[in-house]
Amino acid sequence: MQLLRSIGFFHGNILLFCVTIGAGIFVSPKGVLKYSSLNIAVSLSIWAACAVLTIISALSLAELGTTFPRSGAPYYFLKRSLGSSVAFLSLWIKFFIYPLGIATQSLIISTYIIQPFYTRCLAPELPKKCLALAILWSLGLLNTRGVLTVAWFQTISVLMKITILCFISLTGIVLLGTGKKENVAKFENSFNAELPGASQIAEALLQGLFAYSGTSILINIAGEIKNPGENIPKALITVLPMVAVVYVLVNISYLAVLTPQEIISADAVAVTWMDKVIPSMQWVISLGISTSIVSNMCCTVLSASRLFYIASQEGQLPLIFSMLNNHFSPTVAITQIIILASCLIIASDLINLIKYSGLAAWVLRGLYMIGLLKLRYQDPNLPRPYKVRLPFIFGSIAISLFLILTPMIHSPKVEYIYGFIFIFSGLLGYRLHVHLNQRSVCFDKITCYLQLLFNVSPPEDQDEGISTGKKHLEEIFL
């Protein structure tokens, strides 16, 4: 028994579409415009720049998933290139970031669903938490049915999201095409507005990149993708430019209908936009946001479970997390993630810790690129089905350094100190892990009981090697 390579090019595109087009495009325009000093030209340029940076970073990470085509490839790659302690550090960070993100999204969607029933006051906490837990456990059960079931579920979600975003985009084009003065005027003098500083640009980029988060989904499930050496780069270069075009058009549509002041004062820009265009259809946007969050949560659970799976195989988590059910899914790993997220939903004050996760995510991106360079030097003959060009790697490192250091230098906050304390406390966790691992015999009986309870079996050894030789993007498409 082992994870099956059941995701082809079509379902790979669907998963990438689904996780990239999350709730960010319905909310992030507010933050991008705010940190762009309400400069429309700069704001649209930031969205275009975020697309380019995302593609560069995603194609650089693609080498990890094609060189080591395992589920949880980024973790395995760090262990191979930078050592066990750095791999454990990434596990430590994501062990908290994944459940925090899932719990936050669960509470957001439950609020969107329940709040309309409480028109004159805020919805009470208890029904919001109960609904959030119900949604969370439903997605957990869906993930235990296997990756192909998740992919088919996401196909429906993608169709709904694309329909809504195309409607917003086309409406904006029509409004601008009609040439009405109130729609066109704000674009005419867009270059005369105030220009933001370097720290503001960095903050605006972080806000825009949030809308592109999740592009590493295919690298995280590389062990379940057919012919990953070709399908992963192809999917990235096919999907991400399409998403970029849709995002820019959607932002133009927002700006054609709303003033910059209205955008930055809106909690959900898309809902405010629909209130101006077709007030009776607000529920459509709410449905789109809810669908986006649910599909994003589903993919996050999928990615997190594969991280726990590979960390268990490599001996940094208990063996039970790598055992599979009869749908070839790591049920115990999924259950652990759902339990952690459930605890965070119940103690919802802990969700505020998510604001410290952005720094950690970009530190990890930088470590991946450093590991790529080190492995290129140490093992130049390692078979690489897809080999990213060096300027992309150096560009990704520069992006990480800029996004980490610029806000810290120009506008230092105590959150950055807490963020670094959280990151490097993982090294203490690694020492504790090594100490406990030497005395792990007592866990064998617990593992046996859990194996019977969940009806799971250990995976068989599998040949992870793929292909020989290397390819660049143009060779893959030709």
Side-chain angles (χ1 to χ4, degrees):
M1 181 175 286
Q2 62 189 37
L3 292 175
L4 300 179
R5 293 195 181 277
S6 54
I7 299 296
F9 180 65
F10 172 75
H11 281 125
N13 283 346
I14 291 293
L15 286 172
L16 187 56
F17 252 122
C18 216
V19 76
T20 305
I21 303 177
I25 187 56
F26 301 105
V27 180
S28 289
K30 169 184 176 177
V32 174
L33 193 59
K34 175 184 173 182
Y35 289 110
S36 299
S37 301
L38 303 186
N39 188 314
I40 292 175
V42 172
S43 172
L44 294 176
S45 300
I46 291 289
W47 280 102
C50 286
V52 174
L53 298 181
T54 300
I55 292 170
I56 289 172
S57 181
L59 288 176
S60 300
L61 283 175
E63 186 173 324
L64 314 188
T66 55
T67 305
F68 303 106
R70 299 168 177 259
S71 291
Y75 165 86
Y76 181 81
F77 169 80
L78 282 180
K79 189 175 183 186
R80 173 78 179 262
S81 60
L82 298 179
S84 295
S85 58
V86 177
F88 185 86
L89 193 64
S90 75
L91 176 64
W92 171 267
I93 291 169
K94 292 186 176 181
F95 191 85
F96 293 99
I97 287 179
Y98 276 135
L100 275 170
I102 294 166
T104 304
Q105 291 173 322
S106 299
L107 285 171
I108 289 171
I109 190 173
S110 66
T111 303
Y112 264 107
I113 293 172
I114 288 179
Q115 190 58 52
F117 297 99
Y118 296 85
T119 54
R120 297 183 180 180
C121 61
L122 292 175
E125 288 296 311
L126 183 59
K128 284 199 296 186
K129 289 183 179 181
C130 290
L131 181 58
L133 289 170
I135 293 168
L136 177 65
W137 282 91
S138 298
L139 292 178
L141 288 172
L142 177 68
N143 269 273
T144 62
R145 305 293 295 179
V147 67
L148 201 54
T149 304
V150 172
W152 278 113
F153 170 77
Q154 300 293 31
T155 305
I156 301 168
S157 174
V158 163
L159 291 173
M160 292 177 66
K161 286 193 279 190
I162 289 295
T163 301
I164 292 170
L165 289 176
C166 286
F167 171 73
I168 294 173
S169 302
L170 291 173
T171 303
I173 292 170
V174 170
L175 289 173
L176 289 175
T178 57
K180 288 185 179 180
K181 187 175 180 180
E182 63 270 21
N183 295 325
V184 179
K186 57 191 82 166
F187 292 93
E188 290 177 347
N189 300 316
S190 58
F191 290 94
N192 297 331
E194 178 188 351
L195 294 175
S199 62
Q200 289 176 298
I201 290 174
E203 292 284 0
L205 285 169
L206 284 171
Q207 294 286 329
L209 288 167
F210 170 71
Y212 287 97
S213 58
T215 52
S216 60
I217 177 72
L218 298 183
I219 291 93
N220 288 325
I221 62 165
E224 293 156 271
I225 294 179
K226 301 173 184 175
N227 193 10
E230 290 195 6
N231 283 334
I232 290 177
K234 272 186 179 180
L236 290 171
I237 207 66
T238 301
V239 171
L240 294 182
M242 293 171 65
V243 172
V245 171
V246 170
Y247 277 10
V248 172
L249 291 176
V250 166
N251 275 277
I252 290 173
S253 181
Y254 289 156
L255 290 163
V257 174
L258 304 171
T259 65
Q261 289 75 17
E262 286 175 326
I263 290 176
I264 64 170
S265 62
D267 290 328
V269 181
V271 174
T272 307
W273 180 91
M274 184 61 87
D275 188 43
K276 280 285 190 80
V277 179
I278 312 175
S280 61
M281 298 289 286
Q282 270 194 12
W283 64 271
V284 174
I285 297 297
S286 296
L287 177 64
I289 295 173
S290 302
T291 304
S292 298
I293 296 172
V294 167
S295 61
N296 218 284
M297 283 173 58
C298 193
C299 286
T300 304
V301 173
L302 181 67
S303 291
S305 64
R306 272 45 182 184
L307 171 66
F308 284 25
Y309 169 84
I310 190 66
S312 171
Q313 284 195 320
E314 295 298 313
Q316 290 194 343
L317 282 180
L319 178 64
I320 190 69
F321 289 123
S322 63
M323 294 190 183
L324 306 175
N325 64 7
N326 56 351
H327 297 289
F328 308 99
S329 179
T331 306
V332 183
I334 293 168
T335 305
Q336 177 64 36
I337 293 156
I338 300 299
I339 290 172
L340 288 172
S342 299
C343 293
L344 290 167
I345 289 172
I346 294 166
S348 55
D349 289 343
L350 293 174
I351 296 251
N352 292 324
L353 295 173
I354 199 168
K355 63 185 176 184
Y356 304 121
S357 64
L359 175 67
W362 283 102
V363 167
L364 283 181
R365 286 286 177 114
L367 287 175
Y368 294 144
M369 297 304 106
I370 292 170
L372 268 179
L373 289 175
K374 183 182 177 186
L375 212 58
R376 289 273 185 98
Y377 174 76
Q378 282 188 339
D379 199 350
N381 297 320
L382 182 70
R384 293 175 172 87
Y386 161 71
K387 189 173 183 180
V388 70
R389 298 188 184 279
L390 284 175
F392 279 37
I393 299 176
F394 287 117
S396 296
I397 293 173
I399 294 164
S400 299
L401 290 174
F402 177 75
L403 294 175
I404 293 168
L405 298 178
T406 304
M408 293 174 62
I409 294 170
H410 286 271
S411 55
K413 298 176 185 176
V414 70
E415 284 89 347
Y416 298 132
I417 297 173
Y418 293 148
F420 275 111
I421 290 172
F422 162 67
I423 291 170
F424 290 107
S425 62
L427 297 176
L428 181 63
Y430 178 69
R431 293 295 178 191
L432 184 62
H433 155 73
V434 172
H435 177 75
L436 290 175
N437 205 37
Q438 294 171 351
R439 297 163 175 76
S440 61
V441 177
C442 61
F443 294 112
D444 290 345
K445 187 171 286 188
I446 298 173
T447 299
C448 186
Y449 283 128
L450 288 174
Q451 187 177 355
L452 292 171
L453 175 65
F454 286 96
N455 190 25
V456 290
S457 305
E460 301 168 359
D461 292 334
Q462 55 181 320
D463 180 15
E464 298 287 355
I466 286 245
S467 185
T468 54
K470 64 184 181 184
K471 296 181 183 178
H472 292 294
L473 274 181
E474 59 271 22
E475 296 175 271
I476 288 171
F477 276 90
L478 295 173

